[in-house]
Amino acid sequence: MKVSLIVATGTHQGKAIPITRAEFLIGREGFCHLRPASQAISKKHCGVLLRDGKVFIVDYASTNGTLVNDVLLKNEEAEVLDGAK
C-alpha cells in the first residue's frame, strides 16, 4: 500500500510526503519523522498508522488536537480513507 501526506498550504503546498513505516510520528521532538516548525504543533502531536491494510490517524493528547475531514480528534484514533483532508 502506498500512502503519502500532501501539504495543503504554505511554502511546500502540493508536496507529497511518503509514509514509509507502520507508525509515522508528527511533532516537534527530535524522534518524530515529520517536524513542522510551528508552536501550534505539540512535541508529539499525532501519528499516521498503517495497520491491516488500513490507514489511521491518532492524536497523542496534543494541545490543539488533530483535524481529519473537519473532525477534531483529541487523544483518539480515526480511520482515514483515500482523499481525506
Side-chain angles (χ1 to χ4, degrees), residues 34-54:
L34 179 62
R35 294 185 299 274
S38 169
Q39 291 301 312
I41 303 296
S42 295
K43 290 179 180 180
K44 184 179 177 188
H45 194 95
C46 65
V48 179
L49 310 177
L50 307 180
R51 191 172 60 225
D52 301 323
K54 296 179 181 180

Side-chain angles (χ1 to χ4, degrees), residues 45-47 57-60 62 64-68 71-74:
H45 194 95
C46 65
I57 298 290
V58 60
D59 178 80
Y60 294 118
S62 66
N64 296 315
T66 301
L67 279 176
V68 179
V71 174
L72 183 64
L73 301 178
K74 292 283 283 180

Side-chain angles (χ1 to χ4, degrees), residues 6-17 36-38:
I6 308 299
V7 178
T9 61
T11 305
H12 301 288
Q13 183 175 357
K15 179 181 178 181
I17 301 167
S38 169

Side-chain angles (χ1 to χ4, degrees), residues 65-82:
T66 301
L67 279 176
V68 179
N69 291 329
D70 297 321
V71 174
L72 183 64
L73 301 178
K74 292 283 283 180
N75 201 29
E76 58 187 311
E77 181 179 299
E79 184 177 357
V80 179
L81 301 177
D82 190 27

